Amino acid sequence: QVQLVESGGGSVETGGSLSLSCVASGYTGDFACMGWYRQVPGKEAEGVSYIYIGGKKIWYADSVKGRFTISRDNTENTVYLQMNNLKPEDTGTYFCAARNWGDQCSMELLDGGYRGQGTQVTVSS
């Protein structure tokens, strides 16, 4: 059974930093495409970032460009999200997602993939 477990969430003030991690287990081989979503109550989940295996392709939402950095450890099927200069609008539950689909990687692709339970990030003003 595939499981994705996120960690690293917490509460910080505006301008602070947090580092999220997500470990995928129960899967034989590597997930080629891994990424992060975030969601606040009453709103749809928003794609934050994704990374293709080996870092060959990386994408960020405009709202986080220059502040967030995604990376991964292919040997551990682990994806990270370093979040700097956090703003109140970054508040939400952050989920990681993973999927294999050839050499494709996108947030749309991850919509149909495995997803974790999420970790809460709260940024106060």
Side-chain angles (χ1 to χ4, degrees), residues 16-94:
S17 297
L18 285 172
S19 182
L20 306 184
S21 300
C22 171
V23 180
S25 62
Y27 185 81
T28 301
D30 300 320
F31 279 113
C33 185
M34 301 186 77
W36 292 91
Y37 292 85
R38 64 187 180 191
Q39 188 169 23
V40 296
K43 292 189 176 182
E44 292 188 1
E46 172 192 13
V48 175
S49 180
Y50 66 75
I51 182 169
Y52 185 71
I53 194 166
K56 297 176 183 178
K57 184 177 181 182
I58 292 175
W59 173 88
Y60 297 100
D62 288 342
S63 57
V64 307
K65 278 181 182 176
R67 301 186 297 121
F68 290 12
T69 302
I70 192 169
S71 60
R72 62 182 293 169
D73 181 343
N74 296 330
T75 64
E76 301 290 339
N77 253 350
T78 301
V79 63
Y80 307 95
L81 188 68
Q82 177 64 41
M83 305 185 295
N84 297 327
N85 191 21
L86 283 161
K87 305 176 180 180
E89 51 264 42
D90 294 318
T91 294
T93 302
Y94 283 68

